Amino acid sequence: MSDTDSFIDEVTEEVRRDKLFATMKKYGWIAVLAVVVLVGGTAWREYSRAQAEAQAQGFGDAITAALEASEPDARIAALDEIATDEPGARAVLDMLIAAEKGAAGSDVEAVRQLQAVANNADVPQIYRQIASYKALSRSADALTVDDRRAGLEALAVPGQPLRLLAEEQLALIDIEVGNPDAALERLKSIAQDSEATAGLRRRASQLIVALGGSLDDLTVDVQDS
């Protein structure tokens, strides 16, 4: 009986082995394909990442080279020659070009270029807000007081990343139109805001003093910020 049982076990094991080999022969390509896909996917991700890093490096190098030109017109021309299909990168280029146009005394053209970035739905929201802020902060010759105020109030909504910077510009508009009391109120609010940076609090405190206000009633010690 022992020999018979041993023989049966051996036959059963052979049958199992034959079934396993048959199954591997029939479906083994699936496992091979899975390995190929996994390895190929990893290789493609590495290649894509290397390509993206190379493009970003090239983009940065091109900007650096363009900004090394001695004259604004030359810098503008060099920046205009940089090609990119990425909306965020294009927005950065346009904002740099607008800054150079402003430096060359073309505030109206600079504002137009910044507004084009701000109105471009393909550009990431943060870039659009930065472009809008830069346009609204430029010379009064480019935009009316009402236009600047309306745009800045939209950026000064709670929760927006440029809220306090927009509030600072609104205070400057209050001063421009001869409303120092409103400016003081805004500046004191900025100085006491927990989200304000040290530099922003310092500027607010300096303007408060310049307008004849007092820092004594502020809950935040702006002088030490």
Side-chain angles (χ1 to χ4, degrees), residues 136-165:
L136 296 165
S137 303
R138 297 207 68 87
S139 171
D141 295 335
L143 295 169
T144 67
V145 169
D146 290 341
D147 287 340
R148 284 184 288 144
R149 186 184 293 279
L152 289 166
E153 285 175 347
L155 294 176
V157 173
Q160 295 300 316
L162 304 180
R163 174 178 64 88
L164 291 174
L165 291 174

Side-chain angles (χ1 to χ4, degrees), residues 76 79 93-103 106-107 109-111 113-114 138:
I76 291 169
L79 288 168
L93 272 177
D94 287 339
M95 285 191 280
L96 287 171
I97 292 171
E100 293 299 336
K101 287 180 178 179
S106 301
D107 265 349
E109 290 185 24
V111 168
Q113 186 143 14
L114 289 168
R138 297 207 68 87

Side-chain angles (χ1 to χ4, degrees), residues 29 32 48 87 93 97 128 182 187 211 218:
W29 65 271
V32 173
S48 297
L93 272 177
I97 292 171
R128 295 175 63 186
L187 292 166
L211 291 172
L218 301 185

Side-chain angles (χ1 to χ4, degrees), residues 183-193 204 208 213-215 217-218:
L184 280 170
E185 185 177 348
R186 285 187 189 277
L187 292 166
K188 288 180 178 180
S189 178
I190 293 171
Q192 296 178 102
D193 197 299
I208 290 170
S214 173
L215 305 178
D217 58 344
L218 301 185

Side-chain angles (χ1 to χ4, degrees), residues 2 17 40 48 105-106 122 156 159 173-174 192 194-195 207:
S2 176
R17 199 162 22 240
S48 297
S106 301
D122 294 330
I173 290 178
D174 289 333
Q192 296 178 102
S194 61
E195 296 180 3
L207 278 173

